[in-house]
Amino acid sequence: PSTIIYFKPPQFISIYSPTVSAMSAIFNFSSLITVILLLICTTAYIREMRPTIFDNGMEQVPGQPLIKRKGVYGFCWKLSRIGERLSPFISISCILMAAHVLFMK
């Protein structure tokens, strides 16, 4: 007599409730703004601690063309520049975003 054994596949339980969507920060505008603000604040703080970290070992020599900042270092340098020059607006934006995340989400 042959018996057939059926294996039941394991059931995966979702850790997310049906009301919470599992979106990445790219597709959720609120999360995207939060990530951008965190990047700006972090790079501005790092550049404050170590001013030449995003210069990629290059120094500006008087009379020479300006240093072209490319790639990841250039992107971080630009974000830190935004954080330095627009610091009052960035600070207010961080406070508003923190209130939004804490009280409205």
Side-chain angles (χ1 to χ4, degrees):
S2 66
T3 54
I4 299 174
I5 301 173
Y6 293 103
F7 291 102
K8 187 176 180 183
Q11 300 230 346
F12 296 102
I13 301 171
S14 175
I15 60 171
Y16 300 106
S17 68
T19 58
V20 177
S21 63
M23 295 165 90
S24 70
I26 297 171
F27 300 115
N28 188 353
F29 185 70
S30 174
S31 297
L32 179 67
I33 295 297
T34 304
V35 168
I36 290 172
L37 283 172
L38 285 173
L39 282 172
I40 289 172
C41 294
T42 303
T43 53
Y45 178 77
I46 290 172
R47 191 157 185 258
E48 183 71 28
M49 294 294 120
R50 295 188 59 198
T52 59
I53 192 166
F54 299 130
D55 291 339
N56 203 13
M58 297 183 287
E59 291 185 18
Q60 181 66 41
V61 180
Q64 295 291 326
L66 293 174
I67 298 171
K68 291 186 179 179
R69 293 172 174 90
K70 299 178 186 174
V72 176
Y73 285 114
F75 182 69
C76 290
W77 182 84
K78 289 174 186 175
L79 286 175
S80 67
R81 234 14 189 178
I82 291 170
E84 288 174 358
R85 293 187 178 178
L86 298 176
S87 62
F89 300 109
I90 297 296
S91 301
I92 291 169
S93 300
C94 285
I95 291 169
L96 292 175
M97 187 53 72
H100 173 74
V101 169
L102 288 175
F103 301 118
M104 295 182 191
K105 263 192 168 180

